[in-house]
Amino acid sequence: MEGTKEMGLRNVSSHCSISEMDDYDLLRLLDKPRLNIERQRSFDERSLISELSIGLTRGGLDNFESTYSPGGRSGIETPASSARNSFEPHPMVADAWEALRRSLVHFRGQPVGTIAAYDHASEEVLNYNQVFVRDFVPSALAFLMNGEPDIVKNFLLKTLCLQGWEKRIDRFKLGEGAMPASFKVHHDPIRKLDTLVADFGESAIGRVAPVDSGFWWIILLRAYTKSTGDLSLAETPDCQKGMRLILTLCLSEGFDTFPTLLCADGCCMIDRRMGIYGYPIEIQALFFMVLRCSLAMLKPDAEGKEFIERIVKRLHALSYHMRSYFWLDFQRLNDIYRYKTEEYSHTAVNKFNVIPDSIPEWVFEFMPTRGGYFIGNVSPARMDFRWFALGNCIAILSSLATPEQSLAIMDLIESRWEELVGEMPLKISYPAIESHEWRIVTGCDPKNTRWSYHNGGSWPVLLWLLTAACIKTGRPQIARRAIELAESRLLKDNWPEYYDGKLGKYIGKQARKYQTWSIAGYLVAKMMLEDPSHSGMISLEEDKQMKPVLKRSSSWTC
């Protein structure tokens, strides 16, 4: 972006450490006055500013990693998320901020997170009264964008303390670096003492530990650093050790021949049995993003240098694997349709021995001639052709997707709007699995019936990820359209957790009301669309040094 040059920002390599960022004037930016746009501007002037801010090239932003994203406002009365192209903030904004603040959780007098849902009308509380690492991310981004970073810093430090706990599930010890899925504050009225109680999966449905909690923690640490310019937190010995422990778990070598992470069902946002075991796209995209975030934040000292070297090698292998084998467009689908099977040696085209007859019929109708996406899973003799929203959005934001692939994903969303968006953004997965297949894949899960919950349900929280992806690819009009759909229902329906039905018409049959990440996701989407520079805290520019996709296996010449 030309604007970054005028502000005195230089292009920051994603391979530099936090300690080296002084060379890129981030600290100097802290002393610069923040941009304060007057609310009284005329409609035409504000529209022009909006278009200048969002007028990106089709290839996306060029200098995301060098963009400093300060949050410059605070308070419920003047939220940062007023609509750029309207005279007054949408009435939902003030309600959303009030609801978000009502969900705050305090520990020894300090805010440390937000509970999952504030639905006191529900008879079953279950674990919705806890602070989930995954769920808190959009809340944290909202507070950062609104100039309130303290709660995010408190959350990062408290969860880091929990990482060091001994974690056992049915007498089996988890890896040292595992982050909790959630925690709650226990108050002892007799001793007048607050303590934190963490859940690493030992209380979860299915007893599955979350793989993504540690990933979201690192992503949020980078977002905090980008938003505040506070380099000191990530450089502390505790944060450096926390990152290394997480990386130790996911960079460990074993019998797997793929650079992707082997995971169980229920290890991420889709936390129930949904047939995503193996190498789910959501985890692989988050893994890629975390490796890049860690590369920018790890100090190149004696301990960090080894991890940096391992990360660089893994990134090259992972990007090649994902872009080559997980990517699906019209041409690629036609190639798979014509695959030969039982091929052997390095010259094999059908490397995973996928049987063409296993391609589901719906894919042929779903795939447009322009557009594409990363499929849900790839493993020996198996391709899960389902669309998963979070994985594809993160692929764009992390630059796992090439600029061409990023635009193709947006083309697919536009051309398949009714299927993927309908009347409420955004389908978590598409299509729903039904009948006999549903019985086998989900184990007859009554919550994941067709077009409900994780099985093709619509989740408002995904609005912020869609908006960030739209901004990066220069398609803000898609985000505006999605936000307008959400604004027509969310407040009236009391901020549900998810919606059911092919078009997302119906409030989820077991959806909690006042779901915190539905509220925060809306606020983050609004604030990013108002000020696209905010997306810099959650988006990574393309790494120019990343090797391009190879036309044939690198083992060909071995």
Side-chain angles (χ1 to χ4, degrees):
M1 291 188 301
E2 294 299 325
T4 56
K5 294 179 182 177
E6 294 173 4
M7 291 172 62
L9 287 174
R10 292 203 295 272
N11 188 19
V12 181
S13 167
S14 60
H15 293 282
C16 70
S17 71
I18 289 277
S19 61
E20 296 173 306
M21 285 189 180
D22 303 68
D23 297 334
Y24 302 103
D25 301 327
L26 283 179
L27 285 176
R28 245 182 356 151
L29 278 172
L30 294 176
D31 300 325
K32 291 192 175 185
R34 289 171 175 171
L35 184 64
N36 186 18
I37 299 175
E38 293 294 330
R39 298 287 178 195
Q40 288 76 29
R41 283 196 182 99
S42 68
F43 176 84
D44 291 339
E45 186 182 354
R46 277 183 294 166
S47 299
L48 177 62
I49 291 172
S50 178
E51 293 307 316
L52 287 174
S53 300
I54 309 176
L56 312 174
T57 63
R58 280 179 62 85
L61 290 174
D62 293 328
N63 292 306
F64 257 133
E65 192 57 32
S66 62
T67 303
Y68 171 57
S69 309
R73 309 172 184 85
S74 62
I76 301 178
E77 300 302 321
T78 56
S81 51
S82 61
R84 292 294 288 265
N85 292 334
S86 61
F87 290 100
E88 296 294 337
H90 195 281
M92 278 177 60
V93 172
D95 186 275
W97 275 110
E98 182 180 350
L100 181 60
R101 296 188 192 284
R102 194 166 59 234
S103 70
L104 282 170
V105 172
H106 291 79
F107 176 70
R108 299 178 183 175
Q110 291 185 323
V112 293
T114 52
I115 58 173
Y118 197 80
D119 186 6
H120 290 305
S122 175
E123 294 180 0
E124 290 184 295
V125 175
L126 296 178
N127 56 357
Y128 282 81
N129 63 347
Q130 297 188 27
V131 179
F132 280 80
V133 173
R134 178 191 311 126
D135 293 38
F136 180 67
V137 171
S139 296
L141 294 177
F143 287 120
L144 287 174
M145 292 177 187
N146 207 47
E148 303 175 69
D150 288 347
I151 179 177
V152 182
K153 184 175 183 178
N154 293 339
F155 171 86
L156 289 167
L157 292 174
K158 291 296 179 289
T159 47
L160 186 62
C161 293
L162 298 174
Q163 183 191 34
W165 287 14
E166 181 174 323
K167 303 163 280 286
R168 289 184 181 273
I169 300 179
D170 289 344
R171 299 180 181 273
F172 189 74
K173 187 177 180 181
L174 292 181
E176 185 182 4
M179 282 286 188
S182 64
F183 65 84
K184 61 183 177 182
V185 178
H186 176 72
H187 179 68
D188 187 337
I190 299 176
R191 299 171 59 193
K192 295 183 179 180
L193 181 67
D194 288 344
T195 55
L196 294 179
V197 180
D199 177 16
F200 292 91
E202 65 268 32
S203 300
I205 295 174
R207 298 299 188 268
V208 178
V211 176
D212 63 338
S213 287
F215 291 170
W216 282 119
W217 185 87
I218 290 178
I219 291 169
L220 190 56
L221 178 62
R222 176 190 174 271
Y224 171 86
T225 303
K226 294 287 290 184
S227 176
T228 64
D230 179 9
L231 313 180
S232 61
L233 179 62
E235 287 191 328
T236 60
D238 286 342
C239 282
Q240 291 288 310
K241 181 182 178 182
M243 283 190 285
R244 291 196 302 268
L245 287 174
I246 293 169
L247 292 169
T248 298
L249 280 180
C250 58
L251 289 175
S252 59
E253 298 170 341
F255 285 95
D256 203 340
T257 61
F258 307 145
T260 42
L261 280 184
L262 184 62
C263 301
D265 247 340
C267 65
C268 53
M269 179 180 174
I270 298 177
D271 58 3
R272 300 166 76 94
R273 182 175 163 189
M274 267 289 290
I276 64 167
Y277 61 89
Y279 308 90
I281 178 61
E282 178 176 330
I283 290 298
Q284 312 316 318
L286 285 170
F287 181 33
F288 183 88
M289 190 169 197
V290 160
L291 292 179
R292 294 203 60 201
C293 288
S294 300
L295 201 58
M297 293 190 294
L298 281 172
K299 297 170 71 173
D301 52 21
E303 294 177 293
K305 187 176 180 181
E306 178 191 352
F307 281 94
I308 291 172
E309 292 173 354
R310 292 171 68 186
I311 287 171
V312 171
K313 291 179 181 178
R314 191 64 167 265
L315 279 171
H316 285 299
L318 184 60
S319 62
Y320 169 78
H321 186 92
M322 297 299 296
R323 293 169 182 176
S324 300
Y325 305 130
F326 274 67
W327 180 253
L328 188 72
D329 54 22
F330 182 82
Q331 183 59 51
R332 175 73 169 148
L333 179 60
N334 207 111
D335 292 341
I336 298 172
Y337 177 67
R338 291 169 50 81
Y339 266 170
K340 295 178 181 179
T341 59
E342 306 302 322
E343 292 183 302
Y344 180 74
S345 87
H346 301 309
T347 60
V349 175
N350 186 0
K351 298 182 185 299
F352 301 102
N353 198 36
V354 174
I355 311 301
D357 287 345
S358 68
I359 303 174
E361 288 294 326
W362 66 265
V363 178
F364 297 102
E365 297 298 325
F366 180 72
M367 180 59 68
T369 52
R370 282 185 67 237
Y373 65 103
F374 288 97
I375 63 175
N377 221 317
V378 175
S379 56
R382 176 182 179 235
M383 280 189 170
D384 183 350
F385 290 90
R386 284 177 294 174
W387 150 273
F388 290 93
L390 195 152
N392 276 274
C393 288
I394 291 293
I396 292 175
L397 296 175
S398 65
S399 289
L400 169 60
T402 65
E404 294 76 19
Q405 288 173 335
S406 295
L407 292 174
I409 293 171
M410 302 312 297
D411 287 339
L412 178 87
I413 293 174
E414 281 194 299
S415 60
R416 294 292 177 258
W417 186 265
E418 287 299 305
E419 292 91 338
L420 300 180
V421 181
E423 297 187 19
M424 178 55 64
L426 179 67
K427 280 271 180 283
I428 188 173
S429 62
Y430 180 88
I433 48 180
E434 308 180 54
S435 305
H436 184 60
E437 185 184 11
W438 166 78
R439 292 183 177 89
I440 294 173
V441 172
T442 73
C444 300
D445 186 352
K447 196 166 186 177
N448 273 330
T449 53
R450 63 177 185 170
W451 307 114
S452 180
Y453 204 50
H454 299 137
N455 189 13
S458 298
W459 291 70
V461 64
L462 297 172
L463 185 63
W464 78 265
L465 284 158
L466 175 64
T467 301
C470 289
I471 291 172
K472 185 174 183 185
T473 55
R475 305 280 187 90
Q477 70 278 5
I478 299 178
R480 290 193 191 101
R481 185 180 175 189
I483 289 172
E484 287 173 2
L485 280 174
E487 287 177 337
S488 69
R489 295 282 307 275
L490 278 179
L491 179 59
K492 180 175 63 177
D493 295 339
N494 295 321
W495 308 99
E497 178 184 15
Y498 63 95
Y499 285 78
D500 286 351
K502 275 191 175 183
L503 297 178
K505 278 186 176 182
Y506 307 100
I507 298 175
K509 59 185 176 182
Q510 295 187 42
R512 292 297 190 279
K513 300 290 185 71
Y514 294 99
Q515 186 79 15
T516 303
W517 69 355
S518 296
I519 298 164
Y522 166 73
L523 287 172
V524 171
K526 290 286 284 187
M527 285 189 280
M528 279 195 293
L529 201 55
E530 177 194 75
D531 183 356
S533 70
H534 282 318
S535 60
M537 70 175 73
I538 201 67
S539 181
L540 296 164
E541 64 176 318
E542 185 186 13
D543 187 345
K544 304 297 184 183
Q545 299 179 16
M546 194 70 67
K547 291 181 180 179
V549 175
L550 302 179
K551 297 299 182 183
R552 57 186 180 183
S553 173
S554 58
S555 59
W556 170 267
T557 56
C558 293

